[in-house]
Amino acid sequence: MFRTRLISGIMLVLIALVVIITGGPVLAATLFIISEIGVFELYRVLKVQDAGFSPLAAVGYLGTAAYYAIVFFAGSAYTMTVLLATLILCMGVYVFTYPRYRSDQVTGAFFGVVYVAVMLSCIYELRILDKGVYLVWLVFLASWGCDTCAYCVGKLIGKHKMTTKLSPKKSVEGGIGGVAGAAILGAVYGLAIAGKMGDGSHIASFAVICAAGGLISMVGDLAASAIKRNHDIKDYGHLIPGHGGILDRFDSVILIAPVIYYLALALL
């Protein structure tokens, strides 16, 4: 299992390097595909998508496609229009197919579009900013850096449980170490690309951004775990050998992406 997980992880990193460095339509298309798969995985868990054709799920898939089309071709000015239209269509399906769906399935359908598609699209939004080719890596530094540092610190000195029921193995000490580690990685990365960013004033901002991202990454990880526990499943899918589904691998990145994007706009 460890070997499979390691190989899959290396492949994911290589793919991420190629796609993010290339940027543009390649990145947008990749995020769109990942989002559609992630929405599908979530819909299966929330019983929005069943074995046959689901009109409610179809609205979510259509909303995801429309959202990415607007972001890529028209910018973010009209994204609220797409979200409102998606919500209206969800309510329309709810009414005209009643009593096929329950209200929690309808809210789940709309939630899936926002939680997966909208959040992940912020990676593309970050990439197209000025110097976005450097800023976009903060998402992964904060996520993977925090996860790795939290694991190491937790193993060494972790004593106090962060959440006794949701994730008993995570410790407060590990969480603090993860946030601190993400901040240090952000500062080191900022120092490494100082020549590309200007006068070096960004280094402290990088540390703050990665620390905030690291903190939110733990929320993202635990939130995805909470959904799985609520529905008694181990993994969202089996697409990535050794890792599970898209949502199992990108659970923390989903919540981090918009945080990094807006902090970058505010601080850099």
Side-chain angles (χ1 to χ4, degrees):
M1 177 60 74
F2 174 75
R3 182 180 179 183
T4 301
R5 186 178 178 87
L6 178 62
I7 293 173
S8 296
I10 292 172
M11 291 300 297
L12 285 173
V13 170
L14 292 176
I15 293 171
L17 283 170
V18 172
V19 170
I20 293 174
I21 291 173
T22 304
V26 173
L27 176 59
T30 302
L31 288 171
F32 164 64
I33 293 170
I34 289 173
S35 294
E36 289 284 23
I37 296 172
V39 169
F40 172 74
E41 290 177 350
L42 185 62
Y43 280 1
R44 286 192 305 180
V45 173
L46 300 180
K47 309 302 183 189
V48 175
Q49 175 68 63
D50 50 28
F53 173 74
S54 170
L56 186 58
V59 169
Y61 304 141
L62 178 63
T64 296
Y67 191 88
Y68 272 92
I70 290 295
V71 167
F72 183 72
F73 292 107
S76 57
Y78 300 100
T79 52
M80 182 59 71
T81 304
V82 174
L83 290 177
L84 293 175
T86 301
L87 178 58
I88 291 170
L89 286 173
C90 285
M91 297 305 292
V93 170
Y94 181 40
V95 169
F96 291 111
T97 64
Y98 189 86
R100 178 172 178 175
Y101 299 106
R102 301 184 309 275
S103 59
D104 60 312
Q105 290 173 295
V106 177
T107 54
F110 184 70
F111 168 73
V113 175
V114 177
Y115 174 60
V116 183
V118 175
M119 297 290 217
L120 282 178
S121 73
C122 289
I123 295 176
Y124 175 76
E125 298 271 26
L126 184 60
R127 176 63 176 79
I128 62 176
L129 292 177
D130 182 38
K131 294 185 172 56
V133 67
Y134 306 112
L135 300 178
V136 72
W137 297 106
L138 295 175
V139 173
F140 303 97
L141 276 175
S143 174
W144 296 339
C146 178
D147 185 54
T148 302
C149 293
Y151 176 81
C152 293
V153 173
K155 278 290 187 181
L156 289 172
I157 61 172
K159 293 182 179 179
H160 301 87
K161 296 183 183 299
M162 185 181 296
T163 56
T164 55
K165 293 184 179 180
L166 187 55
S167 186
K169 292 183 179 180
K170 294 185 184 299
S171 66
V172 174
E173 293 83 359
I176 295 172
V179 173
I184 293 171
L185 285 173
V188 171
Y189 175 63
L191 185 62
I193 62 167
K196 307 291 185 180
M197 295 295 296
D199 58 4
S201 60
H202 65 285
I203 296 175
S205 296
F206 274 25
V208 171
I209 290 171
C210 282
L215 184 62
I216 298 300
S217 77
M218 290 185 285
V219 177
D221 181 39
L222 291 171
S225 296
I227 294 173
K228 288 190 288 186
R229 284 182 179 271
N230 281 163
H231 295 273
D232 297 319
I233 62 170
K234 183 178 184 296
D235 295 312
Y236 284 100
H238 306 283
L239 181 64
I240 308 172
H243 293 270
I246 287 293
L247 295 183
D248 295 295
R249 182 63 275 176
F250 289 88
D251 50 7
S252 58
V253 171
I254 286 173
L255 257 63
I256 283 181
V259 172
I260 302 294
Y261 172 64
Y262 285 108
L263 284 177
L265 288 178
L267 298 179
L268 298 171

